[in-house]
Amino acid sequence: MERIIIDMDEVMADTMGGMFAWYKEHFSLPLDYEKMKGSWIPGIPEEHKTKVREQLYSVGFFRRLPVMKDCVEVMEELNKQYEVFIVSAATEFPNSLKDKLEWLEEHFPFLTWRQLVLCGDKRMIAGDYMIDDHVRNLVHFKGKPYLYSTILNKAETGYERLNNWREIADRFL
Amino acid sequence: MERIIIDMDEVMADTMGGMFAWYKEHFSLPLDYEKMKGSWIPGIPEEHKTKVREQLYSVGFFRRLPVMKDCVEVMEELNKQYEVFIVSAATEFPNSLKDKLEWLEEHFPFLTWRQLVLCGDKRMIAGDYMIDDHVRNLVHFKGKPYLYSTILNKAETGYERLNNWREIADRFL
């Protein structure tokens, strides 16, 4: 069975969506998407950056994130045909660890704790395919890398893209 | 730089030592080491098994574990000469995740969150060397595996052994 490595934030979980919803609720302000190249942070007004960072470190933020459209159905099929590992750069955020495990168990009951990897750096991860929204994770990967599109990586070239979970299904199923 | 993958429980952390100390304090009973081949569980009296399992799932158990002798000093040198990743099978125990990160940060301040990997299965981990006390983790590894000796793996043959952190220093430094 071929092994597929799948990122969590911005690929399975709509992390920016969750943050923007929280932001809008608290500050009633639009965010400047044009400044968000590679990172959210430059698009957030200076005076709100600390509050936004606090959200990322809080208990429960990752636990409540929405799931990306079509992700559950496609993942269930992938899990039958591939050896699937969900690999998330999470150790920077100590309170995200248990949240991410519980989030996965809630939304993807057909996956198990054996398939979750919580790390900081992904350079030691081996597999046949990797789907990730960050070039910094794909660049070390020895298998075939796929860049999952977000507004933050629009300018990246040099990687084959997957734009949504229907495209993941078309490619892998 | 060569990459070395190092296990946490029973290699860096004296997990059995921590459990046995707790057991002795609560039950004032000796444990049957002879029955512990590959797992602690058969050596624990039937009526105490539930309590012992509860410890593994509790908040704080992994946070308080003692560090193995000479581990800190040898790790500090390894970290200068190798790309070190600490890889722990931890996702079975949701409350161990943050505990393990904080334990590492307390005792090994020269390591960072980027070097910790919390997973369930280790088959997707790649590196040049792996030091682990479980054959089930070593068996999939493509680099050079080393079995770290514990009372649970005494019967294993077929792997080069490292019996303590002085031997790790002699081999790698």
Side-chain angles (χ1 to χ4, degrees):
Chain A
M1 231 181 206
E2 289 185 302
R3 181 184 304 148
I4 183 165
I5 306 294
I6 303 175
D7 183 27
M8 202 174 227
D9 292 302
E10 315 301 349
V11 177
M12 296 170 67
D14 186 5
T15 314
M16 276 195 296
M19 179 58 87
F20 292 176
W22 172 86
Y23 188 87
K24 205 176 160 189
E25 197 183 313
H26 281 68
F27 296 113
S28 311
L29 261 178
L31 287 170
D32 189 346
Y33 289 84
E34 287 308 308
K35 287 189 184 159
M36 293 184 185
K37 198 184 283 177
S39 167
W40 317 348
I41 307 299
I44 295 165
E46 203 57 48
E47 65 272 27
H48 297 159
K49 280 182 182 170
T50 304
K51 286 271 178 218
V52 167
R53 281 188 208 275
E54 278 171 14
Q55 272 297 296
L56 295 174
Y57 286 93
S58 68
V59 174
F61 174 72
F62 289 93
R63 182 69 186 82
R64 293 185 296 263
L65 291 179
V67 181
M68 290 288 195
K69 187 167 181 299
D70 301 321
C71 177
V72 173
E73 300 77 355
V74 175
M75 184 69 83
E76 189 159 15
E77 287 309 306
L78 284 176
N79 194 45
K80 291 173 187 164
Q81 300 181 33
Y82 294 84
E83 184 180 88
V84 172
F85 286 106
I86 311 304
V87 180
S88 179
T91 50
E92 186 177 359
F93 306 104
N95 285 322
S96 78
L97 301 170
K98 190 180 175 189
D99 276 356
K100 282 174 181 250
L101 175 60
E102 291 182 351
W103 182 90
L104 195 75
E105 286 173 341
E106 179 192 343
H107 298 290
F108 301 83
F110 47 85
L111 298 177
T112 79
W113 54 264
R114 292 183 193 276
Q115 291 170 274
L116 177 62
V117 182
L118 301 165
C119 57
D121 188 304
K122 299 187 185 179
R123 70 184 64 207
M124 83 305 288
I125 301 294
D128 297 293
Y129 309 101
M130 177 182 270
I131 304 172
D132 205 292
D133 68 312
H134 284 292
V135 168
R136 66 168 178 266
N137 295 326
L138 297 173
V139 71
H140 301 288
F141 189 63
K142 300 285 195 294
K144 165 75 178 160
Y146 289 92
L147 186 65
Y148 192 88
S149 295
T150 74
I151 56 163
L152 303 187
N153 66 29
K154 275 195 294 189
E156 293 294 345
T157 56
Y159 285 92
E160 200 168 321
R161 282 179 181 269
L162 294 166
N163 292 301
N164 54 56
W165 278 87
R166 289 264 60 91
E167 288 191 14
I168 293 178
D170 291 344
R171 167 60 189 82
F172 288 99
L173 298 176
Chain B
M1 231 181 204
E2 289 185 303
R3 182 184 304 148
I4 184 165
I5 306 294
I6 303 175
D7 182 29
M8 203 174 225
D9 292 303
E10 315 300 348
V11 176
M12 295 170 66
D14 186 6
T15 314
M16 276 195 295
M19 179 58 88
F20 291 176
W22 172 86
Y23 188 87
K24 205 175 161 189
E25 197 184 312
H26 279 69
F27 297 113
S28 310
L29 261 177
L31 287 170
D32 190 345
Y33 289 84
E34 287 308 307
K35 288 189 184 158
M36 294 184 185
K37 198 185 282 178
S39 167
W40 317 350
I41 306 299
I44 295 166
E46 204 55 48
E47 65 273 26
H48 298 159
K49 279 181 183 170
T50 304
K51 286 271 178 219
V52 167
R53 281 189 209 275
E54 278 171 13
Q55 273 296 296
L56 295 174
Y57 287 92
S58 68
V59 174
F61 174 72
F62 289 93
R63 182 68 186 83
R64 293 185 295 263
L65 291 178
V67 182
M68 290 287 196
K69 186 167 180 299
D70 301 322
C71 177
V72 174
E73 300 78 355
V74 175
M75 185 69 83
E76 190 159 15
E77 287 308 308
L78 284 177
N79 195 44
K80 292 173 187 164
Q81 300 181 33
Y82 295 84
E83 185 181 88
V84 172
F85 286 105
I86 312 304
V87 180
S88 180
T91 50
E92 185 177 1
F93 307 104
N95 284 321
S96 76
L97 301 170
K98 190 179 175 189
D99 276 356
K100 282 175 180 249
L101 175 60
E102 291 182 350
W103 183 90
L104 195 75
E105 287 173 338
E106 179 192 342
H107 297 291
F108 301 83
F110 47 85
L111 297 177
T112 79
W113 55 263
R114 291 181 193 277
Q115 291 170 275
L116 177 62
V117 182
L118 300 164
C119 57
D121 189 304
K122 300 188 185 180
R123 70 183 63 206
M124 84 305 287
I125 300 295
D128 298 293
Y129 309 101
M130 177 182 269
I131 303 173
D132 204 291
D133 68 311
H134 284 292
V135 168
R136 66 169 178 266
N137 295 325
L138 297 173
V139 72
H140 301 287
F141 189 64
K142 300 285 194 295
K144 165 76 179 160
Y146 289 92
L147 186 65
Y148 191 90
S149 296
T150 74
I151 56 164
L152 303 187
N153 67 28
K154 274 196 294 190
E156 293 294 344
T157 55
Y159 286 92
E160 199 169 321
R161 281 179 180 271
L162 294 166
N163 291 301
N164 54 56
W165 278 86
R166 289 264 59 91
E167 289 191 14
I168 293 177
D170 290 345
R171 168 59 188 82
F172 288 98
L173 298 176

